[in-house]
Amino acid sequence: MTIRTLTILGATGSIGASTLDLVRRNRDGFRVVALTGHSNVAVLAALAREFAPEIVVIGDEARLPELREALAGTQIETAGGAQALIEAAQRPADVTVAAIVGCAGLAPTMAAIEQGRTVALANKEALVSAGGVMTRAVAQHGTTLLPVDSEHNAIFQCLAGNDPAHVRWITLTASGGPFRDWAADRLQHATPAEAVKHPNWSMGAKISVDSATMMNKGLEFIEAYHLFPVGVDRLRIIVHPQSIVHSMVEYRDGSTLAQLGPSDMRVPIASALAWPARMNTPCEPLDLAAIGTLTFRAPDEVRFPATRLAREAVMAGGAAAAVLNASNEIAVAAFLAGQIGFTRIVQCCEDVLGSGVPSPPQCLDEVIAVDREARVRAHEALVGAL
Ligand code: NAD
Ligand code: MG
């Protein structure tokens, strides 16, 4: 593998840490251009000292003086604020890992896409919100968009060398989250601490809550719809508690291809970083004899209605997915802050979607406007004012 220049948007998070762990083990393979974080100056400064990027950017501009102080005596440039994130994403880099959480990552991810190089996308909320605005930019700039989300990375690998016209089904697997066996009445009392304790994966707080509500799978359904244009009728979800089969593609001849691996994000991240080559990861080889049993079951959309909402949003088209994502972000934050109960999260999304969906956004600014307006309505829904 020749040396690649690399930018990580959201370097201080879980995906950022997994990416940098791979870089650390492969120092000759990468040169880091830019690292960004939101507010954790200590972690960002330590990463900057270790990986010596050209620039580090802190999203929360108020923390910039602290970052400057922490990096005094180094040659590393520093900047802060939303516009600085975009400018960092515009610096030439062979690969940009888009790993900011939420729609906050949309503008920097679009800036990276506009470079026309390779974007390794973890930030699913950006694609869910922007939909066609993002996929059109990818096509227009000749960008290679590589999915990092484990399911989509699996599907991407299973589709390689095949004509999507021959696809019968794309099946996204879902662990079912920590509450998959909980009765409906118990779900109402689920706490933030219980929700973030995922049985298989170690992830950021927001995606952990999304896994518990199954909204993560809903967002992934929309993500798959945009990444793999086989049509909504050929996408489905199956619960697979062991998270070993990361997703599957069935072809018209009855062949099903699946990608298997440990529940470790370094595997899909490595696949994107090295693509179309392969690189080593420190993950243990898959020991199926030790795992013993792989099980599958249909999702329960009565207890977990989020995937139904996501499918409906895809069918409604236009701005519905952006509205769904924005209301979910607001509701998850309120749940994590102890302000609302667990089942209110998806209820809030349904209420906001039911109160109207604006016309389809045609450009990035319009997507951001839809997102902002939906956040206001989600707040209103949560205080009962909608
Ligand atoms: P995280 O919370 O651990 O990290 C998020 C990163 O985004 C941090 O670097 C944080 O500083 C930055 N950030 C947060 N708010 C920001 C803002 N307003 N402006 C700028 N930067 C901001 O999250 P994560 O688990 O690493 O997830 C990142 C993305 O990857 C999410 O979209 C998630 O859905 C997706 N993803 C994560 C995993 C996983 O295993 N963690 C798996 C698949 C997909
Ligand atoms: Mg996933």
Side-chain angles (χ1 to χ4, degrees):
M1 201 168 98
T2 52
I3 188 157
R4 291 184 174 188
T5 53
L6 177 71
T7 282
I8 305 174
L9 306 171
T12 55
S14 163
I15 292 288
S18 294
T19 306
L20 286 167
D21 182 68
L22 292 170
V23 174
R24 189 177 286 123
R25 294 163 193 273
N26 205 322
R27 291 307 285 259
D28 298 336
F30 300 96
R31 188 170 64 74
V32 179
V33 175
L35 296 177
T36 83
H38 185 52
S39 52
N40 195 332
V41 169
V43 170
L44 188 58
L47 293 174
R49 284 185 180 272
E50 180 179 1
F51 292 97
E54 292 170 19
I55 183 165
V56 281
V57 180
I58 188 100
D60 180 356
E61 209 170 351
R63 302 262 163 101
L64 181 57
E66 234 181 289
L67 180 66
R68 289 220 160 112
E69 199 179 319
L71 289 178
T74 71
Q75 299 299 310
I76 304 164
E77 285 175 61
T78 53
Q83 185 56 34
L85 290 172
I86 294 172
E87 285 165 17
Q90 287 167 337
R91 292 210 177 195
D94 295 327
V95 182
T96 300
V97 178
I100 292 174
V101 59
C103 202
L106 174 57
T109 300
M110 286 292 281
I113 287 171
E114 285 164 12
Q115 283 195 31
R117 300 191 183 197
T118 296
V119 173
L121 183 77
N123 183 197
K124 65 191 86 183
E125 298 92 346
L127 176 57
V128 166
S129 301
V133 169
M134 183 180 286
T135 52
R136 280 194 296 278
V138 168
Q140 188 191 334
H141 295 279
T143 306
T144 302
L145 188 66
L146 299 175
V148 163
D149 215 346
S150 56
E151 296 77 2
H152 306 74
N153 187 269
I155 295 161
F156 180 82
Q157 296 194 46
C158 295
L159 284 170
N162 287 283
D163 183 344
H166 298 313
V167 170
R168 186 185 280 166
W169 288 111
I170 287 179
T171 306
L172 291 155
T173 53
S175 71
F179 307 146
R180 65 179 168 244
D181 297 318
W182 285 32
D185 51 352
R186 192 175 166 204
L187 283 177
Q188 292 179 8
H189 308 291
T191 65
E194 289 167 327
V196 297
K197 242 201 278 150
H198 196 279
N200 306 345
W201 300 92
S202 152
M203 310 184 286
K206 193 265 179 181
I207 184 177
S208 297
V209 175
D210 285 346
S211 297
T213 58
M214 290 287 280
M215 186 59 84
N216 183 48
K217 216 47 56 180
L219 298 176
E220 290 183 354
F221 185 91
I222 302 171
E223 184 185 10
Y225 172 78
H226 292 296
L227 288 172
F228 314 115
V230 299
V232 64
D233 295 339
R234 294 182 187 276
L235 295 175
R236 61 184 181 179
I237 294 166
I238 195 163
V239 174
H240 167 47
Q242 297 81 15
S243 298
I244 297 295
V245 176
H246 295 302
S247 277
M248 302 171 247
V249 179
E250 181 175 330
Y251 290 94
R252 64 201 290 176
D253 59 5
S255 289
T256 295
L257 304 191
Q259 186 261 358
L260 283 70
S263 315
D264 188 323
M265 286 306 293
R266 290 176 297 184
V267 176
I269 294 169
S271 153
L273 289 183
W275 187 87
R278 297 274 181 181
M279 64 187 276
N280 289 340
T281 68
C283 304
E284 291 295 315
L286 190 63
D287 186 349
L288 285 175
I291 294 163
T293 312
L294 300 180
T295 60
F296 301 90
R297 61 169 115 134
D300 176 352
E301 290 190 337
V302 176
R303 278 182 307 145
F304 300 104
T307 50
R308 170 180 58 77
L309 281 192
R311 202 169 47 248
E312 288 168 1
V314 166
M315 312 239 256
V323 171
L324 173 65
N325 177 69
S327 24
N328 182 57
E329 286 193 32
I330 295 299
V332 169
F335 170 71
L336 284 170
Q339 293 160 351
I340 62 167
F342 180 74
T343 50
R344 278 291 296 287
I345 299 172
V346 176
Q347 187 59 53
C348 168
C349 298
E350 187 149 26
D351 291 348
V352 175
L353 279 168
S355 73
V357 170
S359 53
Q362 301 299 327
C363 62
L364 175 59
D365 286 346
E366 289 180 14
V367 177
I368 291 170
V370 168
D371 175 76
R372 289 217 175 109
E373 192 261 354
R375 283 167 193 269
V376 172
R377 281 197 287 140
H379 277 297
E380 287 169 2
L382 291 180
V383 297
L386 193 67

